[in-house]
mmCIF file of all heavy atoms in Angstrom:
data_model
loop_
_atom_site.group_PDB
_atom_site.id
_atom_site.type_symbol
_atom_site.label_atom_id
_atom_site.label_comp_id
_atom_site.label_asym_id
_atom_site.label_seq_id
_atom_site.Cartn_x
_atom_site.Cartn_y
_atom_site.Cartn_z
ATOM 1 N N ALA A 62 2.459 8.424 -4.403
ATOM 2 C CA ALA A 62 3.539 8.185 -5.362
ATOM 3 C C ALA A 62 4.845 7.844 -4.648
ATOM 4 O O ALA A 62 5.568 6.938 -5.072
ATOM 5 C CB ALA A 62 3.728 9.410 -6.260
ATOM 6 N N LEU A 63 5.168 8.542 -3.567
ATOM 7 C CA LEU A 63 6.394 8.265 -2.825
ATOM 8 C C LEU A 63 6.380 6.857 -2.243
ATOM 9 O O LEU A 63 7.372 6.131 -2.308
ATOM 10 C CB LEU A 63 6.599 9.296 -1.713
ATOM 11 C CG LEU A 63 6.888 10.733 -2.140
ATOM 12 C CD1 LEU A 63 7.005 11.630 -0.909
ATOM 13 C CD2 LEU A 63 8.119 10.823 -2.996
ATOM 14 N N VAL A 64 5.241 6.469 -1.666
ATOM 15 C CA VAL A 64 5.129 5.133 -1.076
ATOM 16 C C VAL A 64 5.229 4.063 -2.159
ATOM 17 O O VAL A 64 5.897 3.036 -1.985
ATOM 18 C CB VAL A 64 3.816 5.004 -0.271
ATOM 19 C CG1 VAL A 64 3.543 3.572 0.127
ATOM 20 C CG2 VAL A 64 3.866 5.900 0.959
ATOM 21 N N ALA A 65 4.587 4.283 -3.302
ATOM 22 C CA ALA A 65 4.615 3.303 -4.387
ATOM 23 C C ALA A 65 6.029 3.122 -4.934
ATOM 24 O O ALA A 65 6.466 1.997 -5.201
ATOM 25 C CB ALA A 65 3.666 3.720 -5.499
ATOM 26 N N ILE A 66 6.760 4.210 -5.090
ATOM 27 C CA ILE A 66 8.121 4.125 -5.619
ATOM 28 C C ILE A 66 9.047 3.461 -4.609
ATOM 29 O O ILE A 66 9.875 2.623 -4.969
ATOM 30 C CB ILE A 66 8.640 5.528 -6.010
ATOM 31 C CG1 ILE A 66 7.850 6.046 -7.211
ATOM 32 C CG2 ILE A 66 10.127 5.496 -6.325
ATOM 33 C CD1 ILE A 66 8.083 7.503 -7.508
ATOM 34 N N ALA A 67 8.915 3.825 -3.335
ATOM 35 C CA ALA A 67 9.791 3.251 -2.303
ATOM 36 C C ALA A 67 9.528 1.771 -2.096
ATOM 37 O O ALA A 67 10.437 1.022 -1.728
ATOM 38 C CB ALA A 67 9.619 3.994 -0.988
ATOM 39 N N SER A 68 8.299 1.320 -2.334
ATOM 40 C CA SER A 68 7.995 -0.097 -2.127
ATOM 41 C C SER A 68 8.166 -0.932 -3.391
ATOM 42 O O SER A 68 7.996 -2.150 -3.337
ATOM 43 C CB SER A 68 6.567 -0.249 -1.590
ATOM 44 O OG SER A 68 5.651 0.239 -2.546
ATOM 45 N N ASP A 69 8.522 -0.315 -4.490
ATOM 46 C CA ASP A 69 8.746 -1.045 -5.742
ATOM 47 C C ASP A 69 10.061 -1.825 -5.645
ATOM 48 O O ASP A 69 11.128 -1.229 -5.494
ATOM 49 C CB ASP A 69 8.808 -0.067 -6.912
ATOM 50 C CG ASP A 69 8.882 -0.750 -8.262
ATOM 51 O OD1 ASP A 69 8.920 -1.996 -8.301
ATOM 52 O OD2 ASP A 69 8.900 -0.024 -9.272
ATOM 53 N N PRO A 70 10.021 -3.160 -5.726
ATOM 54 C CA PRO A 70 11.257 -3.945 -5.580
ATOM 55 C C PRO A 70 12.270 -3.679 -6.688
ATOM 56 O O PRO A 70 13.468 -3.802 -6.480
ATOM 57 C CB PRO A 70 10.790 -5.401 -5.607
ATOM 58 C CG PRO A 70 9.340 -5.393 -5.818
ATOM 59 C CD PRO A 70 8.854 -3.992 -5.874
ATOM 60 N N GLY A 71 11.801 -3.275 -7.848
ATOM 61 C CA GLY A 71 12.714 -2.984 -8.954
ATOM 62 C C GLY A 71 13.519 -1.714 -8.761
ATOM 63 O O GLY A 71 14.537 -1.512 -9.414
ATOM 64 N N LEU A 72 13.077 -0.860 -7.870
ATOM 65 C CA LEU A 72 13.771 0.411 -7.647
ATOM 66 C C LEU A 72 14.520 0.457 -6.317
ATOM 67 O O LEU A 72 15.021 1.507 -5.932
ATOM 68 C CB LEU A 72 12.764 1.568 -7.710
ATOM 69 C CG LEU A 72 12.117 1.825 -9.071
ATOM 70 C CD1 LEU A 72 11.051 2.897 -8.945
ATOM 71 C CD2 LEU A 72 13.159 2.231 -10.093
ATOM 72 N N GLN A 73 14.605 -0.661 -5.602
ATOM 73 C CA GLN A 73 15.279 -0.666 -4.294
ATOM 74 C C GLN A 73 16.764 -0.350 -4.420
ATOM 75 O O GLN A 73 17.327 0.331 -3.580
ATOM 76 C CB GLN A 73 15.083 -2.016 -3.588
ATOM 77 C CG GLN A 73 13.714 -2.170 -2.978
ATOM 78 C CD GLN A 73 13.413 -1.093 -1.958
ATOM 79 O OE1 GLN A 73 14.232 -0.789 -1.103
ATOM 80 N NE2 GLN A 73 12.235 -0.509 -2.054
#
Side-chain angles (χ1 to χ4, degrees):
L63 293 178
V64 169
I66 292 169
S68 63
D69 186 358
L72 294 174
Q73 283 301 314

